[in-house]
Amino acid sequence: MMTSTRSKKLTRSRKEAIDCYVFMSPAIIGLLVFTLGPILFSAYISFTDYDILSTPVWVGLQNYVELFQDKFFWHSMKITFIYAGVSVPLGLVVALLLAMLLNQTLKGIYLFRVIYYLPAVISGVAVALLWKWVFNPEFGLLNWFLGLFGIQGPAWIFSEQWALPSLILMSLWSVGGSMLIYLAGLQGIPTELYEAAEIDGANRFRKFLSVTIPMLSPVIFFNLVMGIIGSIQVFTEGYVMTAGGPNNSTLFAVLYLYRQAFNYFSMGYASAFAWVLFLVILLLTLLVFRSSPMWVFYEEQKGGKKSKARGKTA
Amino acid sequence: MKKNKTMWMLLIVASMLVTFVAGCSQSGGSGGSGSGEKVTLQFIRWSNGPALDAEEEDKIKRFNESHPNIEVQMTLLPWDETFRKIELSLASNNPVDLFYWDVPAYAWYKKGLFKNLQPYFDKDIDMSQYDAKLFEPFKFDGENMFVAPENYQTLTFYYNKTAFDAAGLDYPNADWTWEDVLAAAQKLTIAEGGKTTQYGFDATALGIWWAWMALSWAQGGSIAADVHEPEAITLDTPETQTALQFVQDMIYKHKVSPDVATKDANGMNFQTGKLAMYVGGDWDLGSLKEITDFEWGMAPIPKWGEGRATPYFMGGYAMAEKTKHPDEAWEFIKWTMTENQETLAKQQSWIPVHNPSRDEAELPDWVPEGYREARFEWLKDGRIGDIYHLKWREATDKFMTPMQDEIFINGGDVKAALANAEKEINALLQSE
């Protein structure tokens, strides 16, 4: 606690800083108390042979070497990348379209916003079980819908070809979160920009390309980064709905990692795997960050193609 | 559970540490009040659903009431959770005293975490009242018992009597061969308007290695010469090929069985009356006895030509090597193998290992036709349907299940799938 004499001397910026730390403290304390220890420990055991039941034996880089020779590691990474590579862009596009729809002014728009956002609140195992019904080849919503057009739908999660696409489709369930962020972004775009564009003779599509997209680019950037981080860690769907099958077609990286850790007594190996996965996510995130000057515009910047003014800072 | 720049894994480890700490704090200590002599035993087992769990709770209650100096505290958990929980406990210096056995626990035996129960058996168990031969698989080192069997489980043949009556067919009996099953299945498969509304047989239930193995065994085939740490298994054999081809043909060639997708999608199972016959565990009886829509019966697993083989499995208790109260823990185990066997026989949920209790038990009202023969006859020549190997679970996940997917879901080439899985599994079993 501050003494009263000191608190009088506090400048406004100091006050703000203190407020900031107070608000951040739950996250920071949580990290220090609950996660930092295990993070460091997992870094250590990734260099050991550890099966939980006996003390870890130092093996140096052996886990990492074996990992890169493990065809299931590569297979699971491939599956995960396909999942992320399709579901992230798809999610970005769908969320943006939904946000634009919900950005209209009409009666009951708040109700629609709530409805579209709700699925993002419900998550995990319950959703997986719900979608199992949606994908049901005989009675599922999806095949019923396709049936209206005379299309005989596939067996979805029961089919080796369709299981992964099924889970990608299912990932759209949680676009509500990024949709909401887009919506906030859309509402932050000054109307005079649109008016100016209209005076210049821009049509709707042109306005979307030249005003909406650039003005939203920081939001797109944020959603892209969060999407990459989230989708590479996909686990629940593969664990609950398909158990990695049929024929390993949905063996996501984290699912395989989980099995190594808890079913095959290879905690050290799984930790090495986790660190590799972390580095992959870090690398991708850094790439996106590095690419941001090319396509992300903040309000104080001038638009247009890579302005030379920023060449020096890169 | 998405946290920025932290991994799932670490969350899992974090929560593990939390449970670890929690686990440490709850074992030990003296339970009960007043009597300073009372010993508390921690016991973890997995849940089998409300009906069977109630029987377990009752078992513990009766033991505690009849043994004033011991209190067994049971924790019931989902199967997967059980293993994680016991494992963390065994890794600590103050482990759980007792746990219920299943095959993945073999890894802990390899680490020397199981108490050798043979001295106790020699002292307290009259082996003439049990089928010693059936206990053999639990002699992990070939000589000593490391798990105390309490019950057997087996696979048996179930048929829908009402469907058989409607088709005017004779009921299955102990002389039936798989050819008879196929012939009956063809007559019991009913299509209406291009959609099959009733299938004669559920081949998908045979889609798991410890079930389809029975068809290979019956022809004299085998997967492993010794179930204890086989260095190699055999899948690409004429017997196993024939067996799996037969099961696959039931689905894709004769179309007398649904495939997995059709079965799941339509919620088809024996209980709905849409599948006239299947081979399943006797642990299904609990849900089958609730059926009111039709009559059903049981028969031994059909023969292949002249041969028959029935897989069996065992349930039982293991004691942690580091338990502080081995004698009290044994007291509980012994009680489950002896005094409690009579109650077990009355309940008919599990097959009791104690021969006199089993033979003298009155059969309850719900048991169907063919029950005694189907459920108990195999005791003469049952074969354990397990394989004990540190890498078996990994082999199953990585190769056996995908092989079965290829054969039963994709309708792929049986021989090629078997040959490939055999090669891969043996490489894994022999790897360091």
Side-chain angles (χ1 to χ4, degrees):
Chain A
M1 285 301 291
M2 303 276 167
T3 58
S4 56
T5 47
R6 271 189 71 87
S7 62
K8 275 179 194 155
K9 286 183 193 163
L10 283 179
T11 59
R12 199 171 143 170
S13 64
R14 284 283 298 274
K15 254 198 183 120
E16 277 182 2
I18 287 168
D19 284 346
C20 168
Y21 285 117
V22 169
F23 278 111
M24 276 160 65
S25 64
I28 292 172
I29 291 168
L31 175 79
L32 293 177
V33 175
F34 292 112
T35 41
L36 194 64
I39 287 173
L40 296 175
F41 184 63
S42 84
Y44 161 66
I45 62 173
S46 76
F47 298 104
T48 65
D49 187 0
Y50 180 48
D51 60 6
I52 304 180
L53 299 165
S54 31
T55 38
V57 181
W58 186 265
V59 292
L61 286 171
Q62 194 191 317
N63 284 328
Y64 291 89
V65 173
E66 275 178 25
L67 189 66
F68 289 119
Q69 294 167 341
D70 181 350
K71 63 181 181 192
F72 282 88
F73 163 76
W74 292 108
H75 174 77
S76 70
M77 288 303 267
K78 189 182 99 186
I79 298 283
T80 306
F81 268 78
I82 294 173
Y83 177 85
V86 181
S87 73
V88 172
L90 192 68
L92 286 178
V93 172
V94 172
L96 179 55
L97 291 177
L98 280 177
M100 297 192 46
L101 275 178
L102 295 177
N103 199 23
Q104 324 275 352
T105 39
L106 43 101
K107 247 197 158 97
I109 191 72
Y110 289 104
L111 182 70
F112 282 107
R113 285 178 193 169
V114 169
I115 289 170
Y116 276 96
Y117 178 65
L118 262 185
V121 183
I122 316 161
S123 65
V125 177
V127 171
L129 293 173
L130 184 76
W131 274 83
K132 249 188 142 150
W133 276 104
V134 175
F135 286 130
N136 182 310
E138 297 286 330
F139 304 112
L141 265 177
L142 257 179
N143 278 359
W144 167 82
F145 182 71
L146 291 172
L148 295 181
F149 303 98
I151 302 168
Q152 168 72 47
W156 298 110
I157 54 171
F158 297 106
S159 134
E160 201 178 319
Q161 289 77 24
W162 284 96
L164 187 58
S166 302
L167 299 188
I168 290 172
L169 192 66
M170 185 182 150
S171 71
L172 289 177
W173 175 257
S174 54
V175 295
S178 40
M179 177 197 82
L180 212 61
I181 298 168
Y182 275 131
L183 195 57
L186 283 172
Q187 296 183 338
I189 301 176
T191 44
E192 52 266 34
L193 286 179
Y194 286 113
E195 287 162 7
E198 247 171 89
I199 291 166
D200 287 347
N203 61 14
R204 269 179 162 229
F205 185 65
R206 187 72 228 189
K207 277 194 287 185
F208 174 74
L209 276 188
S210 302
V211 179
T212 313
I213 295 281
M215 291 304 289
L216 271 186
S217 57
V219 179
I220 298 175
F221 172 75
F222 175 81
N223 280 337
L224 175 65
V225 172
M226 296 309 282
I228 289 172
I229 292 171
S231 66
I232 287 181
Q233 296 180 40
V234 57
F235 168 81
T236 315
E237 293 84 341
Y239 181 71
V240 177
M241 291 177 69
T242 55
N247 202 355
N248 289 329
S249 62
T250 53
L251 185 70
F252 294 125
V254 179
L255 178 59
Y256 182 44
L257 181 159
Y258 167 90
R259 286 181 177 177
Q260 283 289 356
F262 296 107
N263 296 355
Y264 312 152
F265 309 102
S266 313
M267 203 43 98
Y269 189 78
S271 297
F273 196 157
W275 278 92
V276 169
L277 207 57
F278 168 68
L279 292 175
V280 167
I281 294 176
L282 189 67
L283 201 70
L284 281 171
T285 312
L286 282 177
L287 273 177
V288 175
F289 266 89
R290 288 302 296 272
S291 76
S292 70
M294 296 184 214
W295 59 279
V296 179
F297 300 96
Y298 293 97
E299 276 191 62
E300 61 274 15
Q301 294 165 355
K302 285 207 163 65
K305 299 268 181 261
K306 288 172 259 181
S307 60
K308 287 201 176 94
R310 280 205 314 282
K312 279 180 189 163
T313 58
Chain B
M1 288 217 49
K2 282 177 187 163
K3 275 211 165 185
N4 199 356
K5 290 182 190 165
T6 46
M7 289 157 289
W8 237 105
M9 176 71 209
L10 300 164
L11 288 172
I12 293 172
V13 174
S15 61
M16 268 175 38
L17 287 178
V18 174
T19 43
F20 177 74
V21 172
C24 290
S25 62
Q26 62 170 239
S27 51
S30 67
S33 53
S35 62
E37 290 303 298
K38 195 163 193 163
V39 168
T40 304
L41 297 175
Q42 294 297 331
F43 165 48
I44 299 182
R45 70 161 296 143
W46 58 88
S47 151
N48 283 305
L52 290 170
D53 286 355
E55 287 181 358
E56 297 303 327
E57 303 270 8
D58 174 64
K59 187 192 293 175
I60 301 296
K61 191 164 144 273
R62 283 181 294 106
F63 176 81
N64 288 343
E65 279 167 3
S66 57
H67 296 75
N69 61 328
I70 307 174
E71 190 190 351
V72 176
Q73 295 184 347
M74 176 171 66
T75 310
L76 280 162
L77 294 166
W79 192 86
D80 250 355
E81 280 298 302
T82 310
F83 279 87
R84 272 193 278 292
K85 187 98 176 146
I86 298 170
E87 192 154 276
L88 285 171
S89 148
L90 290 176
S92 73
N93 273 325
N94 195 358
V96 65
D97 304 285
L98 291 156
F99 54 91
Y100 200 72
W101 154 264
D102 204 353
V103 181
Y106 186 73
W108 310 332
Y109 155 75
K110 290 293 288 178
K111 293 273 165 197
L113 300 168
F114 277 51
K115 179 77 80 192
N116 179 353
L117 300 177
Q118 196 58 46
Y120 292 108
F121 267 80
D122 295 340
K123 185 163 60 86
D124 283 343
I125 300 289
D126 172 10
M127 280 307 291
S128 68
Q129 300 187 341
Y130 303 86
D131 286 302
K133 198 164 71 62
L134 294 176
F135 284 9
E136 291 290 313
F138 281 169
K139 293 188 170 174
F140 295 147
D141 59 357
E143 292 177 9
N144 299 295
M145 293 293 287
F146 283 90
V147 181
E150 177 199 42
N151 62 65
Y152 302 120
Q153 302 119 52
T154 186
L155 296 182
T156 145
F157 188 79
Y158 298 100
Y159 63 95
N160 181 326
K161 271 170 87 167
T162 309
F164 268 77
D165 291 340
L169 297 170
D170 292 337
Y171 300 140
N173 58 40
D175 296 329
W176 270 42
T177 65
W178 281 104
E179 289 303 318
D180 297 325
V181 175
L182 178 58
Q186 282 166 325
K187 296 193 182 78
L188 289 160
T189 302
I190 301 167
E192 278 172 31
K195 260 188 92 121
T196 308
T197 52
Q198 177 182 298
Y199 284 98
F201 186 73
D202 180 9
T204 64
L206 285 171
I208 302 171
W209 65 275
W210 43 257
W212 54 249
M213 212 156 55
L215 278 70
S216 174
W217 282 351
Q219 304 168 63
S222 160
I223 288 192
D226 181 359
V227 298
H228 296 101
E229 298 183 45
E231 282 178 18
I233 58 160
T234 50
L235 290 172
D236 189 14
T237 63
E239 297 86 0
T240 304
Q241 272 170 47
T242 316
L244 288 183
Q245 192 64 58
F246 178 82
V247 180
Q248 190 196 46
D249 284 348
M250 296 269 256
I251 302 172
Y252 295 103
K253 187 173 161 193
H254 306 298
K255 299 193 166 48
V256 295
S257 160
D259 59 15
V260 176
T262 310
K263 179 187 165 186
D264 270 21
N266 291 290
M268 284 186 159
N269 57 21
F270 186 75
Q271 286 87 328
T272 59
K274 289 178 181 165
L275 299 168
M277 300 178 275
Y278 84 111
V279 168
D282 65 330
W283 52 87
D284 288 355
L285 284 163
S287 66
L288 296 187
K289 68 185 182 196
E290 306 296 323
I291 295 175
T292 50
D293 300 346
F294 59 87
E295 295 280 304
W296 54 282
M298 291 167 75
I301 292 194
K303 295 188 296 189
W304 191 289
E306 284 307 301
R308 185 197 322 271
T310 312
Y312 78 99
F313 315 93
M314 286 189 279
Y317 303 89
M319 197 195 300
E321 173 62 46
K322 287 188 196 161
T323 174
K324 294 187 174 58
H325 311 290
D327 292 347
E328 287 82 0
W330 171 253
E331 192 58 38
F332 173 72
I333 294 177
K334 184 179 77 179
W335 180 85
T336 64
M337 283 189 74
T338 52
E339 287 169 65
N340 190 50
Q341 289 283 311
E342 201 180 322
T343 313
L344 204 65
K346 276 202 192 87
Q347 290 167 329
Q348 293 288 324
S349 296
W350 308 95
I351 303 168
V353 292
H354 185 241
N355 294 341
S357 300
R358 189 179 57 244
D359 298 338
E360 288 157 24
E362 294 223 349
L363 293 183
D365 294 342
W366 59 262
V367 310
E369 193 166 330
Y371 175 86
R372 193 178 278 281
E373 194 177 22
R375 205 171 186 195
F376 305 129
E377 270 301 294
W378 62 266
L379 287 152
K380 301 192 303 285
D381 55 4
R383 276 176 75 164
I384 193 78
D386 291 337
I387 285 182
Y388 306 115
H389 193 293
L390 269 180
K391 296 205 186 262
W392 186 245
R393 196 168 177 187
E394 191 173 351
T396 309
D397 278 353
K398 282 185 173 176
F399 306 113
M400 197 65 119
T401 308
M403 174 193 95
Q404 287 158 179
D405 288 348
E406 172 64 14
I407 294 173
F408 301 119
I409 295 181
N410 297 351
D413 183 80
V414 173
K415 184 174 164 48
L418 283 166
N420 177 52
E422 177 180 312
K423 182 172 68 82
E424 296 276 17
I425 289 175
N426 288 343
L428 177 64
L429 295 184
Q430 286 150 22
S431 68
E432 273 310 302

